[in-house]
């Protein structure tokens, strides 16, 4: 667990996309952040108050979260000075960067000297069990995609938020570094050893109240040959009661695989449901979540209506329409 | 490389399946093993002479191979005394267990003190790429099972052997510790980081002569919730031209999962083929391999005949009938 609240480090981020981790925290767990810290030259803001380390400390911040992708895969000297000062002031550090905090000797020294933690959320911090497949109490939802990066995390966060608004019991369960930094906990599934993938998801979604929902962040796609094994481990470890189909309708081919066409929603529905029912015979497909960011409002609403008619399932774009229809369907399970 | 011949350590193995590493070496490279070593309580034999460490040393053994694969891979304290004694007598150790010889301080000390090697064949020795899904030249066969430990490796080794006998170009491609111990090369797939699983299989089965067959060792089962993700990575990374269905017909439930029934051969055929055709639209299911070890000869032959009639596919038990019918079918592709 990463201690909250955070100060969000934006460094010298060149554009909004580079700050997607910070933006995710700001959008989904605003109470987890007291403010943002920007270096000279930073071109973005996530709309929080700019704070010095001292101001953030006074406001109660416990952890400086690197909310930005760094340039060139190197933690620059400009960043280092701030990170080391933060450690000396009693902040922990948390990062989802490929190059690890723990591999930077000066950060390790400063953390030790000040008794602080370095959280590299890409690296599993737990020895996960092998999955035992036993039925767990409580309910679970998983978004399965036609492709990678079609909006599965966003869908899960939106469903979780809508459930909480309605007073339902819900936990967003992060399976990637952005989700882990947003919530402070989770499983970095793409870095887990093969034999323990499904077990890590059982660990992440343990027995719970019968009316509690784990809203599990999806990864990859059964139809994406690079990552399909990760997706199946999520389906079998998560033993979902409900699947949501996630789709981005304007994509020309599978992400990173120019020779591969996207599957139809029907193909994903049939394949994912057959596989999910191995672990949970009662699993149902309850709706569709479409990322319509590349469409006009009218096109998007037409597309959602056509999808509903075609699939016989509620269809939403959680960013545009909210996740209400999905939660309506989940509330009946 | 691991020095041969071996003494096969069976420890206190509770059942024959747990000794599948030792059995595989015994069956496919019998000249590589001088005998077997069993602790009190060991419930299995692989049919070699029982030897003390002294007797094995006198017979020329160079390496003590841990021939048992435990769920979760634990080196018990009962084993330690024997392993340390073996090191002190000049044996190297080789193991495919999850928890590594190199992480056991007492073994490392004993190895260093005696100038011996600790071979952890489960550990990847390569930084595998992320799969790119590009079509490769040459042909590939993969056995997919109704369950774990139903004979997929045996099937692949038997097909490879039969192909070589016929003068066909064939390579057995090991994906687990037994196969790696047998052939000295391969990918320890269950220890590969999730994101690189499919890529490791692309790496293992690169472009080859158009008439060359990679006979890829299968792992797990699409229907075994603990390991299904590993199986799917094999299917998508291997992009097989031909699938063989592997089955053990007398099993009461999925291995290690008392609540889970085995799927039918038809279910495995349909699911595996649908998923395989994502990576290779020309993939076919060409036959069935049945482990009939628990049946009489007459029962076994009846069962194979009934399976052929039911599935419309050649059915063999490679141990009992040889793999000839499978190779006949593969030769037509």
């Amino acid at each position: 667990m990463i201690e909250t609240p955070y100060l969000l480090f934006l460094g010298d981020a060149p554009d909004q996309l580079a700050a997607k981790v910070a933006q995710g925290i700001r959008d989904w767990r605003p109470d987890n952040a007291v403010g943002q810290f920007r270096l000279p030259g930073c071109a973005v803001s996530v709309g929080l108050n700019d704070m010095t380390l001292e101001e953030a400390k006074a406001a109660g911040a416990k952890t400086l979260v690197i909310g930005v992708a760094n340039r060139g895969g190197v933690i620059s000297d400009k960043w280092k000075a701030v990170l080391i000062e933060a450690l000396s002031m009693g902040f922990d550090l948390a990062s989802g960067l490929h190059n690890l905090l723990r591999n930077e000797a000066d950060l390790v020294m400063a953390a030790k000297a000040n008794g602080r933690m370095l959280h590299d959320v890409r690296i599993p911090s737990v020895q996960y069990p092998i999955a035992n497949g036993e039925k767990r109490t409580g309910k679970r939802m998983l978004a399965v995609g036609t492709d990678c990066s079609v909006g599965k995390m966003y869908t899960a966060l939106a469903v979780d938020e809508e459930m909480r608004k309605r007073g339902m019991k819900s936990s967003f369960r992060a399976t990637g570094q952005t989700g882990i930094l947003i919530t402070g906990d989770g499983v970095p599934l793409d870095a887990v050893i093969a034999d323990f993938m499904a077990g890590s998801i059982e660990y992440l979604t343990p027995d719970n109240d019968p009316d509690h929902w784990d809203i599990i962040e999806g990864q990859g796609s059964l139809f994406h040959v690079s990552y399909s094994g990760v997706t199946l481990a999520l389906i079998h470890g998560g033993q979902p009661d409900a699947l949501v189909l996630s789709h981005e309708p304007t994509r020309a081919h599978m992400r990173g695989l120019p020779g591969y066409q996207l599957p139809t929603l029907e193909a994903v529905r049939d394949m994912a449901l057959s596989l999910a029912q191995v672990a949970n015979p009662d699993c149902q497909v309850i709706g569709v979540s479409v990322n319509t960011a590349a469409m006009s409002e009218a096109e998007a609403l037409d597309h959602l209506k056509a999808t509903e008619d075609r699939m016989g399932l509620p269809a939403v774009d959680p960013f545009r329409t909210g996740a209400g229809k999905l939660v309506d369907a989940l509330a009946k399970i």
Side-chain angles (χ1 to χ4, degrees), chain A residues 90-119:
Chain A
F91 287 90
D92 292 339
L93 300 184
S95 160
L97 298 176
H98 275 292
N99 52 330
L100 305 180
L101 300 174
R102 70 186 65 175
N103 289 345
E104 301 293 319
D106 43 3
L107 296 183
V108 171
M109 258 174 41
K112 269 193 189 150
N114 296 286
R116 306 320 312 164
M117 302 275 293
L118 301 178
H119 298 282

PDB file of all heavy atoms in Angstrom, chain A residues 90-119:
ATOM      1  N   GLY A  90      10.826  13.641   4.282  1.00  0.00           N
ATOM      2  CA  GLY A  90       9.925  12.648   4.860  1.00  0.00           C
ATOM      3  C   GLY A  90       8.862  12.116   3.917  1.00  0.00           C
ATOM      4  O   GLY A  90       7.980  11.363   4.340  1.00  0.00           O
ATOM      5  N   PHE A  91       8.919  12.493   2.636  1.00  0.00           N
ATOM      6  CA  PHE A  91       8.011  11.890   1.657  1.00  0.00           C
ATOM      7  C   PHE A  91       8.513  10.503   1.263  1.00  0.00           C
ATOM      8  O   PHE A  91       9.726  10.302   1.114  1.00  0.00           O
ATOM      9  CB  PHE A  91       7.968  12.726   0.362  1.00  0.00           C
ATOM     10  CG  PHE A  91       7.238  14.033   0.457  1.00  0.00           C
ATOM     11  CD1 PHE A  91       7.900  15.202   0.814  1.00  0.00           C
ATOM     12  CD2 PHE A  91       5.882  14.092   0.159  1.00  0.00           C
ATOM     13  CE1 PHE A  91       7.231  16.416   0.877  1.00  0.00           C
ATOM     14  CE2 PHE A  91       5.214  15.312   0.214  1.00  0.00           C
ATOM     15  CZ  PHE A  91       5.884  16.479   0.580  1.00  0.00           C
ATOM     16  N   ASP A  92       7.580   9.555   1.047  1.00  0.00           N
ATOM     17  CA  ASP A  92       7.904   8.372   0.253  1.00  0.00           C
ATOM     18  C   ASP A  92       7.844   8.772  -1.214  1.00  0.00           C
ATOM     19  O   ASP A  92       7.277   9.818  -1.562  1.00  0.00           O
ATOM     20  CB  ASP A  92       6.894   7.242   0.502  1.00  0.00           C
ATOM     21  CG  ASP A  92       6.991   6.670   1.912  1.00  0.00           C
ATOM     22  OD1 ASP A  92       8.043   6.840   2.563  1.00  0.00           O
ATOM     23  OD2 ASP A  92       5.998   6.053   2.361  1.00  0.00           O
ATOM     24  N   LEU A  93       8.405   7.918  -2.096  1.00  0.00           N
ATOM     25  CA  LEU A  93       8.274   8.124  -3.539  1.00  0.00           C
ATOM     26  C   LEU A  93       7.531   6.940  -4.150  1.00  0.00           C
ATOM     27  O   LEU A  93       7.698   5.805  -3.706  1.00  0.00           O
ATOM     28  CB  LEU A  93       9.652   8.230  -4.221  1.00  0.00           C
ATOM     29  CG  LEU A  93      10.604   9.340  -3.778  1.00  0.00           C
ATOM     30  CD1 LEU A  93      11.858   9.312  -4.668  1.00  0.00           C
ATOM     31  CD2 LEU A  93       9.937  10.706  -3.834  1.00  0.00           C
ATOM     32  N   ALA A  94       6.702   7.224  -5.163  1.00  0.00           N
ATOM     33  CA  ALA A  94       6.033   6.155  -5.906  1.00  0.00           C
ATOM     34  C   ALA A  94       6.127   6.458  -7.393  1.00  0.00           C
ATOM     35  O   ALA A  94       5.969   7.606  -7.813  1.00  0.00           O
ATOM     36  CB  ALA A  94       4.568   6.029  -5.488  1.00  0.00           C
ATOM     37  N   SER A  95       6.360   5.387  -8.175  1.00  0.00           N
ATOM     38  CA  SER A  95       6.603   5.566  -9.606  1.00  0.00           C
ATOM     39  C   SER A  95       6.166   4.337 -10.386  1.00  0.00           C
ATOM     40  O   SER A  95       6.284   3.214  -9.906  1.00  0.00           O
ATOM     41  CB  SER A  95       8.108   5.803  -9.827  1.00  0.00           C
ATOM     42  OG  SER A  95       8.471   5.530 -11.160  1.00  0.00           O
ATOM     43  N   GLY A  96       5.664   4.564 -11.592  1.00  0.00           N
ATOM     44  CA  GLY A  96       5.361   3.474 -12.512  1.00  0.00           C
ATOM     45  C   GLY A  96       6.300   3.464 -13.697  1.00  0.00           C
ATOM     46  O   GLY A  96       6.017   2.819 -14.703  1.00  0.00           O
ATOM     47  N   LEU A  97       7.414   4.169 -13.590  1.00  0.00           N
ATOM     48  CA  LEU A  97       8.363   4.272 -14.703  1.00  0.00           C
ATOM     49  C   LEU A  97       9.055   2.939 -14.955  1.00  0.00           C
ATOM     50  O   LEU A  97       9.237   2.130 -14.042  1.00  0.00           O
ATOM     51  CB  LEU A  97       9.428   5.332 -14.396  1.00  0.00           C
ATOM     52  CG  LEU A  97       8.936   6.766 -14.198  1.00  0.00           C
ATOM     53  CD1 LEU A  97      10.117   7.664 -13.817  1.00  0.00           C
ATOM     54  CD2 LEU A  97       8.254   7.284 -15.454  1.00  0.00           C
ATOM     55  N   HIS A  98       9.447   2.730 -16.218  1.00  0.00           N
ATOM     56  CA  HIS A  98      10.205   1.533 -16.576  1.00  0.00           C
ATOM     57  C   HIS A  98      11.536   1.491 -15.841  1.00  0.00           C
ATOM     58  O   HIS A  98      11.952   0.449 -15.343  1.00  0.00           O
ATOM     59  CB  HIS A  98      10.462   1.485 -18.087  1.00  0.00           C
ATOM     60  CG  HIS A  98       9.347   0.880 -18.858  1.00  0.00           C
ATOM     61  ND1 HIS A  98       9.023  -0.451 -18.770  1.00  0.00           N
ATOM     62  CD2 HIS A  98       8.452   1.416 -19.719  1.00  0.00           C
ATOM     63  CE1 HIS A  98       7.995  -0.716 -19.557  1.00  0.00           C
ATOM     64  NE2 HIS A  98       7.621   0.416 -20.144  1.00  0.00           N
ATOM     65  N   ASN A  99      12.225   2.637 -15.826  1.00  0.00           N
ATOM     66  CA  ASN A  99      13.469   2.648 -15.067  1.00  0.00           C
ATOM     67  C   ASN A  99      13.126   2.886 -13.600  1.00  0.00           C
ATOM     68  O   ASN A  99      12.440   3.841 -13.244  1.00  0.00           O
ATOM     69  CB  ASN A  99      14.490   3.660 -15.601  1.00  0.00           C
ATOM     70  CG  ASN A  99      13.928   5.044 -15.749  1.00  0.00           C
ATOM     71  OD1 ASN A  99      12.743   5.208 -15.997  1.00  0.00           O
ATOM     72  ND2 ASN A  99      14.770   6.039 -15.570  1.00  0.00           N
ATOM     73  N   LEU A 100      13.581   1.966 -12.780  1.00  0.00           N
ATOM     74  CA  LEU A 100      13.077   1.860 -11.414  1.00  0.00           C
ATOM     75  C   LEU A 100      13.784   2.814 -10.469  1.00  0.00           C
ATOM     76  O   LEU A 100      14.987   3.055 -10.588  1.00  0.00           O
ATOM     77  CB  LEU A 100      13.272   0.434 -10.915  1.00  0.00           C
ATOM     78  CG  LEU A 100      12.653  -0.646 -11.811  1.00  0.00           C
ATOM     79  CD1 LEU A 100      12.908  -2.028 -11.219  1.00  0.00           C
ATOM     80  CD2 LEU A 100      11.169  -0.397 -12.026  1.00  0.00           C
ATOM     81  N   LEU A 101      13.023   3.341  -9.511  1.00  0.00           N
ATOM     82  CA  LEU A 101      13.602   4.136  -8.438  1.00  0.00           C
ATOM     83  C   LEU A 101      14.681   3.332  -7.719  1.00  0.00           C
ATOM     84  O   LEU A 101      15.759   3.849  -7.407  1.00  0.00           O
ATOM     85  CB  LEU A 101      12.512   4.533  -7.441  1.00  0.00           C
ATOM     86  CG  LEU A 101      11.344   5.362  -7.996  1.00  0.00           C
ATOM     87  CD1 LEU A 101      10.272   5.545  -6.919  1.00  0.00           C
ATOM     88  CD2 LEU A 101      11.825   6.719  -8.502  1.00  0.00           C
ATOM     89  N   ARG A 102      14.392   2.038  -7.500  1.00  0.00           N
ATOM     90  CA  ARG A 102      15.308   1.222  -6.695  1.00  0.00           C
ATOM     91  C   ARG A 102      16.636   0.965  -7.397  1.00  0.00           C
ATOM     92  O   ARG A 102      17.566   0.451  -6.786  1.00  0.00           O
ATOM     93  CB  ARG A 102      14.643  -0.099  -6.341  1.00  0.00           C
ATOM     94  CG  ARG A 102      14.473  -1.039  -7.512  1.00  0.00           C
ATOM     95  CD  ARG A 102      13.675  -2.271  -7.132  1.00  0.00           C
ATOM     96  NE  ARG A 102      12.301  -1.908  -6.778  1.00  0.00           N
ATOM     97  CZ  ARG A 102      11.353  -2.798  -6.489  1.00  0.00           C
ATOM     98  NH1 ARG A 102      11.632  -4.089  -6.471  1.00  0.00           N
ATOM     99  NH2 ARG A 102      10.134  -2.406  -6.184  1.00  0.00           N
ATOM    100  N   ASN A 103      16.709   1.269  -8.687  1.00  0.00           N
ATOM    101  CA  ASN A 103      17.975   1.096  -9.408  1.00  0.00           C
ATOM    102  C   ASN A 103      18.801   2.380  -9.449  1.00  0.00           C
ATOM    103  O   ASN A 103      19.860   2.412 -10.072  1.00  0.00           O
ATOM    104  CB  ASN A 103      17.716   0.601 -10.833  1.00  0.00           C
ATOM    105  CG  ASN A 103      17.250  -0.848 -10.844  1.00  0.00           C
ATOM    106  OD1 ASN A 103      17.376  -1.549  -9.848  1.00  0.00           O
ATOM    107  ND2 ASN A 103      16.703  -1.289 -11.967  1.00  0.00           N
ATOM    108  N   GLU A 104      18.318   3.429  -8.800  1.00  0.00           N
ATOM    109  CA  GLU A 104      19.050   4.699  -8.746  1.00  0.00           C
ATOM    110  C   GLU A 104      19.744   4.785  -7.383  1.00  0.00           C
ATOM    111  O   GLU A 104      19.081   4.972  -6.345  1.00  0.00           O
ATOM    112  CB  GLU A 104      18.084   5.884  -8.920  1.00  0.00           C
ATOM    113  CG  GLU A 104      17.302   5.854 -10.225  1.00  0.00           C
ATOM    114  CD  GLU A 104      18.186   6.060 -11.450  1.00  0.00           C
ATOM    115  OE1 GLU A 104      19.086   6.914 -11.410  1.00  0.00           O
ATOM    116  OE2 GLU A 104      17.971   5.330 -12.454  1.00  0.00           O
ATOM    117  N   ALA A 105      21.053   4.651  -7.405  1.00  0.00           N
ATOM    118  CA  ALA A 105      21.797   4.526  -6.148  1.00  0.00           C
ATOM    119  C   ALA A 105      21.576   5.721  -5.229  1.00  0.00           C
ATOM    120  O   ALA A 105      21.447   5.564  -4.004  1.00  0.00           O
ATOM    121  CB  ALA A 105      23.285   4.351  -6.446  1.00  0.00           C
ATOM    122  N   ASP A 106      21.499   6.934  -5.817  1.00  0.00           N
ATOM    123  CA  ASP A 106      21.373   8.110  -4.947  1.00  0.00           C
ATOM    124  C   ASP A 106      19.985   8.159  -4.288  1.00  0.00           C
ATOM    125  O   ASP A 106      19.855   8.589  -3.139  1.00  0.00           O
ATOM    126  CB  ASP A 106      21.683   9.404  -5.709  1.00  0.00           C
ATOM    127  CG  ASP A 106      21.068   9.439  -7.098  1.00  0.00           C
ATOM    128  OD1 ASP A 106      20.341   8.483  -7.455  1.00  0.00           O
ATOM    129  OD2 ASP A 106      21.309  10.420  -7.819  1.00  0.00           O
ATOM    130  N   LEU A 107      18.964   7.701  -5.009  1.00  0.00           N
ATOM    131  CA  LEU A 107      17.635   7.657  -4.394  1.00  0.00           C
ATOM    132  C   LEU A 107      17.574   6.598  -3.290  1.00  0.00           C
ATOM    133  O   LEU A 107      16.978   6.818  -2.230  1.00  0.00           O
ATOM    134  CB  LEU A 107      16.564   7.367  -5.460  1.00  0.00           C
ATOM    135  CG  LEU A 107      16.383   8.423  -6.552  1.00  0.00           C
ATOM    136  CD1 LEU A 107      15.241   8.021  -7.487  1.00  0.00           C
ATOM    137  CD2 LEU A 107      16.125   9.801  -5.956  1.00  0.00           C
ATOM    138  N   VAL A 108      18.197   5.447  -3.552  1.00  0.00           N
ATOM    139  CA  VAL A 108      18.207   4.387  -2.543  1.00  0.00           C
ATOM    140  C   VAL A 108      18.908   4.880  -1.277  1.00  0.00           C
ATOM    141  O   VAL A 108      18.429   4.679  -0.153  1.00  0.00           O
ATOM    142  CB  VAL A 108      18.904   3.124  -3.103  1.00  0.00           C
ATOM    143  CG1 VAL A 108      19.124   2.093  -1.997  1.00  0.00           C
ATOM    144  CG2 VAL A 108      18.074   2.524  -4.243  1.00  0.00           C
ATOM    145  N   MET A 109      20.040   5.564  -1.466  1.00  0.00           N
ATOM    146  CA  MET A 109      20.782   6.085  -0.312  1.00  0.00           C
ATOM    147  C   MET A 109      19.953   7.090   0.476  1.00  0.00           C
ATOM    148  O   MET A 109      19.875   7.035   1.708  1.00  0.00           O
ATOM    149  CB  MET A 109      22.071   6.764  -0.776  1.00  0.00           C
ATOM    150  CG  MET A 109      23.302   5.901  -0.572  1.00  0.00           C
ATOM    151  SD  MET A 109      24.799   6.655  -1.276  1.00  0.00           S
ATOM    152  CE  MET A 109      24.612   8.391  -0.840  1.00  0.00           C
ATOM    153  N   ALA A 110      19.296   7.998  -0.256  1.00  0.00           N
ATOM    154  CA  ALA A 110      18.504   9.034   0.411  1.00  0.00           C
ATOM    155  C   ALA A 110      17.299   8.419   1.123  1.00  0.00           C
ATOM    156  O   ALA A 110      16.919   8.852   2.221  1.00  0.00           O
ATOM    157  CB  ALA A 110      18.051  10.084  -0.605  1.00  0.00           C
ATOM    158  N   ALA A 111      16.688   7.389   0.511  1.00  0.00           N
ATOM    159  CA  ALA A 111      15.544   6.737   1.148  1.00  0.00           C
ATOM    160  C   ALA A 111      15.978   6.063   2.445  1.00  0.00           C
ATOM    161  O   ALA A 111      15.317   6.189   3.484  1.00  0.00           O
ATOM    162  CB  ALA A 111      14.916   5.724   0.189  1.00  0.00           C
ATOM    163  N   LYS A 112      17.111   5.361   2.387  1.00  0.00           N
ATOM    164  CA  LYS A 112      17.607   4.668   3.580  1.00  0.00           C
ATOM    165  C   LYS A 112      17.940   5.659   4.680  1.00  0.00           C
ATOM    166  O   LYS A 112      17.584   5.477   5.845  1.00  0.00           O
ATOM    167  CB  LYS A 112      18.860   3.851   3.236  1.00  0.00           C
ATOM    168  CG  LYS A 112      18.525   2.425   2.825  1.00  0.00           C
ATOM    169  CD  LYS A 112      19.763   1.539   2.800  1.00  0.00           C
ATOM    170  CE  LYS A 112      19.401   0.196   2.157  1.00  0.00           C
ATOM    171  NZ  LYS A 112      20.525  -0.424   1.469  1.00  0.00           N
ATOM    172  N   ALA A 113      18.634   6.719   4.292  1.00  0.00           N
ATOM    173  CA  ALA A 113      19.082   7.699   5.277  1.00  0.00           C
ATOM    174  C   ALA A 113      17.893   8.326   6.004  1.00  0.00           C
ATOM    175  O   ALA A 113      17.993   8.699   7.176  1.00  0.00           O
ATOM    176  CB  ALA A 113      19.914   8.786   4.584  1.00  0.00           C
ATOM    177  N   ASN A 114      16.766   8.421   5.304  1.00  0.00           N
ATOM    178  CA  ASN A 114      15.601   9.092   5.894  1.00  0.00           C
ATOM    179  C   ASN A 114      14.478   8.127   6.280  1.00  0.00           C
ATOM    180  O   ASN A 114      13.389   8.560   6.658  1.00  0.00           O
ATOM    181  CB  ASN A 114      15.069  10.135   4.904  1.00  0.00           C
ATOM    182  CG  ASN A 114      16.086  11.248   4.650  1.00  0.00           C
ATOM    183  OD1 ASN A 114      16.286  12.110   5.506  1.00  0.00           O
ATOM    184  ND2 ASN A 114      16.758  11.193   3.512  1.00  0.00           N
ATOM    185  N   GLY A 115      14.750   6.821   6.151  1.00  0.00           N
ATOM    186  CA  GLY A 115      13.742   5.833   6.545  1.00  0.00           C
ATOM    187  C   GLY A 115      12.482   5.897   5.693  1.00  0.00           C
ATOM    188  O   GLY A 115      11.372   5.676   6.188  1.00  0.00           O
ATOM    189  N   ARG A 116      12.629   6.224   4.415  1.00  0.00           N
ATOM    190  CA  ARG A 116      11.457   6.351   3.534  1.00  0.00           C
ATOM    191  C   ARG A 116      11.368   5.170   2.570  1.00  0.00           C
ATOM    192  O   ARG A 116      12.324   4.429   2.389  1.00  0.00           O
ATOM    193  CB  ARG A 116      11.518   7.664   2.729  1.00  0.00           C
ATOM    194  CG  ARG A 116      11.678   8.942   3.527  1.00  0.00           C
ATOM    195  CD  ARG A 116      10.892   9.004   4.815  1.00  0.00           C
ATOM    196  NE  ARG A 116       9.487   8.611   4.664  1.00  0.00           N
ATOM    197  CZ  ARG A 116       8.667   8.293   5.664  1.00  0.00           C
ATOM    198  NH1 ARG A 116       9.100   8.289   6.908  1.00  0.00           N
ATOM    199  NH2 ARG A 116       7.425   7.972   5.430  1.00  0.00           N
ATOM    200  N   MET A 117      10.195   5.031   1.921  1.00  0.00           N
ATOM    201  CA  MET A 117       9.932   3.933   0.991  1.00  0.00           C
ATOM    202  C   MET A 117      10.049   4.413  -0.455  1.00  0.00           C
ATOM    203  O   MET A 117       9.626   5.526  -0.777  1.00  0.00           O
ATOM    204  CB  MET A 117       8.507   3.411   1.179  1.00  0.00           C
ATOM    205  CG  MET A 117       8.179   2.915   2.568  1.00  0.00           C
ATOM    206  SD  MET A 117       8.695   1.204   2.779  1.00  0.00           S
ATOM    207  CE  MET A 117       7.562   0.364   1.650  1.00  0.00           C
ATOM    208  N   LEU A 118      10.567   3.508  -1.329  1.00  0.00           N
ATOM    209  CA  LEU A 118      10.538   3.719  -2.778  1.00  0.00           C
ATOM    210  C   LEU A 118       9.576   2.679  -3.368  1.00  0.00           C
ATOM    211  O   LEU A 118       9.845   1.483  -3.311  1.00  0.00           O
ATOM    212  CB  LEU A 118      11.926   3.532  -3.392  1.00  0.00           C
ATOM    213  CG  LEU A 118      13.047   4.433  -2.872  1.00  0.00           C
ATOM    214  CD1 LEU A 118      14.369   4.077  -3.561  1.00  0.00           C
ATOM    215  CD2 LEU A 118      12.711   5.903  -3.095  1.00  0.00           C
ATOM    216  N   HIS A 119       8.443   3.137  -3.875  1.00  0.00           N
ATOM    217  CA  HIS A 119       7.458   2.215  -4.462  1.00  0.00           C
ATOM    218  C   HIS A 119       7.605   2.204  -5.980  1.00  0.00           C
ATOM    219  O   HIS A 119       7.268   3.189  -6.636  1.00  0.00           O
ATOM    220  CB  HIS A 119       6.027   2.660  -4.133  1.00  0.00           C
ATOM    221  CG  HIS A 119       5.699   2.671  -2.680  1.00  0.00           C
ATOM    222  ND1 HIS A 119       5.408   1.534  -1.970  1.00  0.00           N
ATOM    223  CD2 HIS A 119       5.590   3.699  -1.793  1.00  0.00           C
ATOM    224  CE1 HIS A 119       5.132   1.847  -0.716  1.00  0.00           C
ATOM    225  NE2 HIS A 119       5.244   3.162  -0.579  1.00  0.00           N
TER     226      HIS A 119
END
